[in-house]
Amino acid sequence: MASQHVLAEPATAAIFLVATVDDGGVDGVRDLLADLAGLTRAVAFRSPGDRLTCVAGVGARIWDGLYGEPRPAGLHPFQELAGSKHTAIATPGDLLFHLRARRMDLCFELARQIGLRLSGLATVVDEVHAFKYFDQRDVLGFVDGTENPDDEDAVAAVVVGEEDPSFAGSSYVIVQKYVHDMAAWQANSVEEQERVIGRSKVDDIEMPDSIKPKNSHIALNVIEDEDGNELDIVRDNMVFGNIADGSFGTYFIGYAKTPDVIEQMLRNMFIGDPPGNYDRILDFSTVLTGNLFFVPTADFLEAQPDSPSTPDGSLRIGSLK
Ligand code: HEM
């Protein structure tokens, strides 16, 4: 089974589209998803080497209408997590399109083509055009992505295996859009910022455990299973911003073979480990969205299973309104 391009080469530009499917839209959306690899090829081929890829994710609300049985074992709506000070909110979203390339124009052209096909079928409820700062840094000024697994470790982290045989080769993805209080962040000394993240800013070296604060981003996001094995996800965070309205943010995207791992990280960040010991990065960040999607294999999307939807193409879940 060919997976989608979850493990893409590092990109410098990305567009994130989150859409809700309109009543009556499922059949057309299923067709679009089946054509997505072809649409991507049509745009990517004109600029070989710029590595345009698109990953599509499907949310829990729309799965039954689109594909019916069987259901991916781990697919469920994003669960809101309310901590003592910060809450990871859940927001609407049935479809994710994660477009990456070395050039924004390629992402934009593919997003435009997807938008044409979604017209009348689905509504884009969140759209972010994002980029990676030089040095692979995020907008807080720290190198972001260093501890991502690579090669076979990355495959082991993100690809569903025999634990859910109907969906071997698939993945799960969680996205969250954060905006940062840059004035508050920049009011900290570099040393204080390093204690928030848990790594040095210029050199990107992890702090020794002896001095790394327990509420640093790194301390709360290194998690292990009961046998002491580290549990990995693959992230591809991107920067976005707007000079006119002064908003600067990080679009978090994390892929894994089970949503449990990312959800555990989010519990540590928002509720805290132990509860109350939440991630200090949140004192400088406000989360605006939260979605969980299943990422079927490319083969699955192209195979267009028979439509389980009602003859009128409705979602069988009632209206969103
Ligand atoms: C590591 C930034 C949100 C999971 C890092 C690092 C930075 C960073 C700078 C250190 C370098 C690296 O290894 O990549 C941010 C920013 C976020 C954000 C600016 C948005 C406010 C999240 C979220 C999760 C997460 C929501 C998980 C749900 C991780 C993990 C690591 C990491 C697993 C690697 C830990 C390790 O193995 O050392 N992040 N992150 N991050 N982050 Fe985040």
Side-chain angles (χ1 to χ4, degrees), residues 138 143-147 176 178 199 217 221 235 252 269:
D138 57 38
V143 176
D144 195 346
T146 313
E147 292 296 341
Q176 288 181 305
Y178 290 88
R199 299 183 76 96
H217 186 59
N221 276 296
R235 296 163 287 128
F252 165 80
M269 285 179 68

Side-chain angles (χ1 to χ4, degrees), residues 75-227:
L75 181 57
H76 56 262
F78 183 86
Q79 322 257 277
E80 178 173 300
L81 294 166
S84 54
K85 188 153 177 217
H86 301 286
T87 297
I89 55 169
T91 51
D94 296 325
L95 301 169
L96 169 73
F97 297 94
H98 177 202
L99 296 83
R100 285 178 274 190
R102 292 185 174 172
R103 282 171 38 189
M104 181 52 91
D105 59 342
L106 293 177
C107 296
F108 189 79
E109 173 59 9
L110 182 56
R112 193 177 72 83
Q113 296 291 344
I114 292 170
L116 289 171
R117 289 286 300 269
L118 288 178
S119 174
L121 305 173
T123 305
V124 175
V125 291
D126 192 48
E127 170 171 351
V128 176
H129 296 208
F131 55 91
K132 200 72 141 183
Y133 259 131
F134 38 89
D135 251 15
Q136 304 292 317
R137 290 179 192 269
D138 57 38
V139 73
L140 300 179
F142 281 76
V143 176
D144 195 346
T146 313
E147 292 296 341
N148 265 335
D150 48 22
D151 303 328
E152 63 268 26
D153 290 340
V155 173
V158 302
V159 179
V160 172
E162 285 315 304
E163 67 277 15
D164 191 7
S166 311
F167 294 104
S170 309
S171 299
Y172 293 85
V173 61
I174 284 182
V175 292
Q176 288 181 305
K177 180 165 78 171
Y178 290 88
V179 284
H180 303 297
D181 181 344
M182 292 303 284
W185 177 249
Q186 278 158 353
N188 290 306
S189 64
V190 167
E191 291 72 23
E192 189 55 25
Q193 293 178 356
E194 292 175 336
R195 282 191 285 274
V196 173
I197 300 295
R199 299 183 76 96
S200 63
K201 193 170 184 182
V202 173
D203 302 333
D204 185 33
I205 303 298
E206 186 174 348
M207 282 180 177
D209 286 345
S210 54
I211 58 162
K212 189 193 302 159
K214 300 263 178 289
N215 61 355
S216 64
H217 186 59
I218 297 305
L220 288 163
N221 276 296
V222 175
I223 62 169
E224 296 176 346
D225 66 16
E226 55 275 15
D227 302 323

Side-chain angles (χ1 to χ4, degrees), residues 267-288:
R267 275 195 294 278
N268 288 0
M269 285 179 68
F270 283 83
I271 291 167
D273 179 27
N277 182 54
Y278 68 83
D279 193 326
R280 271 203 73 208
I281 209 172
L282 298 177
D283 287 339
F284 306 95
S285 316
T286 303
V287 65
L288 303 178

Side-chain angles (χ1 to χ4, degrees), residues 235-254:
R235 296 163 287 128
D236 201 356
N237 294 355
M238 287 276 173
V239 178
F240 62 91
N242 187 293
I243 308 304
D245 69 16
S247 62
F248 299 93
T250 300
Y251 199 96
F252 165 80
I253 181 159

